[in-house]
C-alpha cells in the first residue's frame, strides 16, 4: 500500500510518500480502506518531535474515514463494506489502517463521507467540551480562541445551538473573521489586547466559559476576562508554550480551570466517544450544520498540506483524499 511516513523529526520535508506493507488485524480490530484522512495540529507537533516519541518509521495522522475491508474472525459490530470513521492505532496517512473496534464508528447513510471525514477529531472534541467538560447554557457568554480553525468552527456552531447569549471568537488575522461570523459568532477580534475588548463586549462582566487551545500568554490573559464562577477549559497548546495559572486567580473569584485531551480520552476512556457518537452524527445530518473544508490534497501532496496547516492561513479542515 501507499503511505506517508517519517524517518526523523523535522520540517515537512521529512514526510515521504512510499510503499509499505499492508497491515494485519488482531482480535477486536478492523482493517479499513482509507477514503479520507485529515491534518490536525497535533500532526505538526508529532512531526517536529514536540509530542511524539521517536519510533521510526512512523505514520502520522489521527483519524480516517473509509470502508471496512476486513473484520477479525468471530463476533464483530462491523462487516466488510461498512462506511466508518475511526481513530487508527498506528497513524492515518495510509491507504489501509487498523483500528480497535471501540474507536470505529459507523457513518449513517444520510451523512456524506466527506462531511464525516472532516470532523472525527474536532467534532468529538467540541461535543465533549461543550456538553460534558464545560456545558453551555443560554445564560452563558463564551470566548472561543482560534475560532476559524477546525475545533473553533465546531465550537461556535454548538455554542449557538445551545443558545449561548454571546459568542466571541479570537483569530490571528481579521481575514479569518468572516467564517467565524458566518457560523454564529457575535464578535471576532484578534489576540492583541483581546481581554479588554471582551470585557467591553460583555459590559464589564467577562465571559462565563473560555475554550483555549493555544496556551501560553493567551491562557494567562484570558483570566483578565473570565467572569466570577467562570470556567477556562485548556485543551491544547498550539502556541507551543505553557501558561502560568496563579491560585490567586481562582479561589476568591470562584473560577476554575479544566483540562481536556481527546488523545488521552481515546486511550483511557474510549467509551466516552461511543456515548456521544450518535449525537455527533445527528449534528452532521442537520444541513444547517456546516463543516468548513479549507482544502483537499492528495496523499502524495502531504507536504503541501502540512505547510498550509503551519502557515495558519487556512480556515476550516484540511483533508487528504486517498
Amino acid at each position: 500500500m501507499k503511505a506517508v511516513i517519517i524517518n526523523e523529526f523535522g520540517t515537512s520535508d521529512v514526510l515521504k510518500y512510499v510503499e509499505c506493507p499492508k497491515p494485519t488485524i488482531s482480535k477486536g480490530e478492523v482493517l479499513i480502506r482509507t477514503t479520507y484522512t485529515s491534518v490536525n495540529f497535533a500532526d505538526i507537533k508529532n512531526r517536529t518531535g514536540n509530542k511524539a516519541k521517536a519510533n521510526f518509521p512512523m505514520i502520522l495522522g489521527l483519524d480516517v474515514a473509509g470502508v471496512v475491508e476486513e473484520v477479525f474472525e468471530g463476533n464483530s459490530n462491523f462487516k466488510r463494506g461498512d462506511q466508518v470513521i475511526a481513530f487508527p492505532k498506528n497513524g492515518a496517512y495510509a491507504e489501509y489502517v487498523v483500528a480497535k473496534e471501540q474507536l470505529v464508528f459507523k457513518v449513517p447513510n444520510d451523512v456524506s463521507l466527506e462531511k464525516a471525514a472532516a470532523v472525527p477529531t474536532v467534532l468529538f472534541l467540541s461535543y465533549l467540551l461543550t456538553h460534558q467538560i464545560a456545558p453551555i447554557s443560554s445564560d452563558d457568554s463564551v470566548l472561543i480562541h482560534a475560532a476559524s480553525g477546525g475545533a473553533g468552527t465546531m465550537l461556535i456552531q454548538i455554542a449557538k445551538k445551545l443558545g449561548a447569549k454571546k459568542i466571541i471568537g479570537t483569530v490571528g488575522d481579521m481575514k479569518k473573521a468572516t467564517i467565524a461570523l458566518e457560523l454564529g459568532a457575535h464578535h471576532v477580534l484578534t489576540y492583541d489586547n483581546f481581554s479588554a475588548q471582551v470585557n467591553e463586549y460583555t459590559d464589564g462582566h467577562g465571559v462565563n466559559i473560555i475554550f483555549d487551545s493555544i496556551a501560553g500568554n493567551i491562557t494567562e490573559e484570558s483570566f483578565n476576562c473570565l467572569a466570577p464562577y467562570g470556567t477556562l477549559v485548556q485543551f491544547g497548546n498550539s502556541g507551543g508554550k505553557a501558561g502560568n495559572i496563579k491560585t490567586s486567580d481562582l479561589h476568591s473569584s470562584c473560577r476554575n480551570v479544566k483540562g481536556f485531551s481527546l488523545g488521552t480520552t481515546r486511550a483511557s476512556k474510549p467509551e466516552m466517544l461511543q456515548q456521544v457518537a450518535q449525537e455527533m452524527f445527528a449534528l452532521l445530518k442537520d444541513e444547517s450544520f456546516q463543516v468548513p473544508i479549507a482544502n483537499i490534497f492528495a496523499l502524495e501532496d502531504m507536504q503541501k498540506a502540512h505547510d498550509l496547516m503551519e502557515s495558519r492561513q487556512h480556515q476550516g479542515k484540511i483533508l487528504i483524499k486517498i
Side-chain angles (χ1 to χ4, degrees):
M1 69 171 186
K2 294 293 187 182
V4 171
I5 67 169
I6 64 171
N7 288 304
E8 60 182 319
F9 295 130
T11 67
S12 63
D13 292 341
V14 302
L15 296 160
K16 304 299 180 186
Y17 181 64
V18 299
E19 192 77 32
C20 286
K22 189 174 171 181
T24 57
I25 57 173
S26 301
K27 186 176 180 180
E29 297 176 344
V30 296
L31 180 68
I32 299 166
R33 177 165 44 85
T34 307
T35 306
Y36 293 95
T37 182
S38 70
V39 180
N40 293 280
F41 199 81
D43 300 346
I44 307 301
K45 296 179 70 177
N46 285 332
R47 192 203 72 219
T48 56
N50 291 329
K51 190 172 183 179
K53 295 179 181 178
N55 185 21
F56 305 121
M58 185 189 303
I59 298 176
L60 303 177
L62 301 180
D63 53 52
V64 299
V67 178
V68 173
E69 180 82 3
E70 182 186 346
V71 298
F72 199 75
E73 297 174 4
N75 293 330
S76 174
N77 295 320
F78 302 93
K79 65 182 186 301
R80 181 183 169 92
D82 283 344
Q83 288 202 129
V84 296
I85 57 173
F87 298 100
K89 67 176 190 176
N90 291 315
Y93 296 176
E95 291 181 324
Y96 292 91
V97 300
V98 172
K100 295 179 181 178
E101 284 201 7
Q102 59 193 164
L103 291 172
V104 182
F105 310 87
K106 289 181 185 177
V107 177
N109 293 332
D110 47 356
V111 174
S112 80
L113 195 60
E114 182 176 298
K115 191 174 186 181
V119 300
T121 295
V122 295
L123 189 49
F124 269 115
L125 170 63
S126 300
Y127 193 93
L128 288 166
L129 289 175
T130 52
H131 288 77
Q132 295 189 21
I133 310 305
I136 296 173
S137 75
S138 57
D139 293 328
D140 289 328
S141 295
V142 180
L143 173 61
I144 299 166
H145 291 309
S148 68
T153 55
M154 301 294 104
L155 287 167
I156 289 170
Q157 293 180 86
I158 296 174
K160 181 181 178 181
K161 281 186 173 293
L162 293 173
K165 68 179 181 181
K166 191 156 289 188
I167 303 169
I168 304 170
T170 56
V171 293
D173 187 322
M174 284 305 288
K175 293 176 183 176
K176 299 180 180 181
T178 303
I179 191 170
L181 291 166
E182 288 176 350
L183 294 176
H186 300 108
H187 303 282
V188 180
L189 45 133
T190 65
Y191 300 112
D192 185 29
N193 197 28
F194 69 85
S195 59
Q197 294 178 74
V198 169
N199 287 329
E200 183 181 332
Y201 293 149
T202 56
D203 299 321
H205 297 296
V207 290
N208 309 102
I209 302 172
I210 298 175
F211 294 109
D212 167 30
S213 61
I214 302 176
N217 59 6
I218 299 298
T219 301
E220 294 169 7
E221 186 176 340
S222 291
F223 282 98
N224 296 336
C225 59
L226 182 61
Y229 296 91
T231 299
L232 184 146
V233 184
Q234 217 295 311
F235 66 98
N237 67 332
S238 63
K241 295 181 180 179
N244 293 312
I245 297 169
K246 301 189 291 291
T247 54
S248 56
D249 284 331
L250 304 178
H251 73 277
S252 61
S253 60
C254 302
R255 300 183 296 184
N256 66 91
V257 178
K258 292 185 176 183
F260 185 75
S261 162
L262 189 67
T264 300
T265 303
R266 288 196 307 268
S268 302
K269 291 193 172 184
E271 65 274 11
M272 287 181 68
L273 279 65
Q274 291 288 348
Q275 289 162 5
V276 302
Q278 293 313 306
E279 288 88 345
M280 191 194 79
F281 284 125
L283 282 175
L284 294 179
K285 290 179 185 180
D286 183 347
E287 291 185 5
S288 69
F289 192 84
Q290 298 182 49
V291 180
I293 295 173
N295 213 325
I296 301 176
F297 293 91
L299 184 62
E300 56 265 37
D301 292 327
M302 188 64 74
Q303 288 187 21
K304 295 178 182 177
H306 271 233
D307 289 342
L308 178 58
M309 172 65 80
E310 285 187 282
S311 75
R312 299 181 188 269
Q313 296 304 307
H314 65 291
Q315 300 178 44
K317 284 295 295 181
I318 298 171
L319 285 185
I320 309 297
K321 193 172 194 306
I322 298 177

